[in-house]
Amino acid sequence: MESYMQNVTVVNHPLVQHKLTFLRDRNTGTKDFRALLKELSTLMAYEVTRDLPLEEIEIETPVAKTKSRVLAGRKLGIVPILRAGLGMADGVLELIPAAKVGHIGLYRDPVTLAPVSYYCKLPTDTASRDMIVVDPMLATGGSAAEGIRIVKEAGCRTIRLMCLVAAPEGLKALHEQHPDVPIFTAAIDSHLNEHGYIVPGLGDAGDRIFGTK
Ligand code: PRP
Ligand code: URA
């Protein structure tokens, strides 16, 4: 196993793989694309939160007193990277409705492929939360790495990255810059093409969500 794969979890659940196939399909229109992306995000959130700590509390059922477990530890936050990450936020909120939501606006320069920052608004208590950065595409890794850098700069020390389609190039770059950040993805694709698009990928996620092409 390549060393950059140490922090990577590929979510192979059949429902995830099934929905991802239709997300990739060029014949899937905007409405279905949005619905699939939301459903996939909820399913992925289940895996991303699998290791959250629990503590026992005492409760009383209608039948007896008992001890039962509830979430412990720091509260959660979600940070979608605009634009495409926006399509994932609601799906995650289905499972974690009390999470605070930050937004980071980044786009890739079409020539250099470097991320260009245009917006950032994070919860004021970001430093004391566990944050899940969400963006469906991890191509060169530049956008995710910059998003994570910004969240770290705000003081957060526990960050997970949730994407759907990752290129090996992006996984490697992200591991080099943020080896402490676990990455959850539904697929690792073949490679990047000459325009920095993931092959086979699903095309431009932002354009497919918002119908801008
Ligand atoms: C897409 C995608 C990621 C980025 C991935 O955003 O949503 O943020 O590209 O590529 P990278 O790993 O090489 O940085 P894009 O720049 O197209 O902006 P958009 O979401 O506003 O369309
Ligand atoms: N951004 C996308 O939306 N798709 C890709 O394949 C690469 C970057």
Side-chain angles (χ1 to χ4, degrees):
M1 187 180 67
E2 304 279 359
S3 60
Y4 67 82
M5 287 293 294
Q6 276 163 20
N7 292 349
V8 180
T9 301
V10 180
V11 179
N12 273 318
H13 192 289
L15 287 174
V16 169
Q17 295 305 313
H18 177 86
K19 289 174 193 292
L20 179 62
T21 297
F22 293 98
L23 196 76
R24 288 182 187 275
D25 191 330
R26 67 182 306 159
N27 296 312
T28 299
T30 302
K31 177 171 168 279
D32 289 338
F33 191 92
R34 285 189 194 134
L36 284 163
L37 186 59
K38 184 178 174 192
E39 288 164 13
L40 275 160
S41 305
T42 306
L43 292 168
M44 292 290 292
Y46 184 78
E47 287 297 330
V48 172
T49 52
R50 185 177 279 283
D51 66 347
L52 290 182
L54 292 167
E55 65 184 359
E56 271 198 344
I57 60 166
E58 260 199 37
I59 58 159
E60 202 171 336
T61 76
V63 180
K65 282 191 174 166
T66 186
K67 286 187 175 157
S68 196
R69 292 179 295 170
V70 293
L71 289 173
R74 284 187 294 269
K75 292 191 172 140
L76 293 167
I78 306 165
V79 184
I81 296 182
L82 312 184
R83 292 176 302 164
L86 272 183
M88 301 180 84
D90 281 350
V92 180
L93 284 168
E94 291 273 334
L95 283 194
I96 319 168
K100 287 193 177 174
V101 182
H103 294 88
I104 293 178
L106 296 172
Y107 71 87
R108 288 201 312 180
D109 180 287
V111 177
T112 65
L113 301 182
V116 181
S117 167
Y118 61 88
Y119 187 75
C120 178
K121 185 85 179 175
L122 296 176
T124 49
D125 59 356
T126 292
S128 59
R129 287 183 177 258
D130 289 357
M131 301 303 263
I132 306 172
V133 174
V134 301
D135 188 332
M137 310 306 282
L138 184 73
T140 65
S143 302
E146 177 61 7
I148 290 165
R149 188 195 66 74
I150 292 168
V151 176
K152 282 185 177 174
E153 199 175 59
C156 179
R157 287 290 156 259
T158 311
I159 302 172
R160 299 168 174 84
L161 175 69
M162 177 173 139
C163 56
L164 289 176
V165 182
E169 295 89 329
L171 291 171
K172 191 160 184 273
L174 204 71
H175 181 70
E176 277 164 17
Q177 291 179 60
H178 300 290
D180 55 311
V181 173
I183 305 168
F184 296 80
T185 185
I188 301 174
D189 277 13
S190 167
H191 63 280
L192 298 178
N193 69 14
E194 64 276 22
H195 305 295
Y197 276 84
I198 301 174
V199 182
L202 51 73
D204 188 304
D207 284 341
R208 293 196 66 185
I209 296 167
F210 296 106
T212 39
K213 210 172 243 175

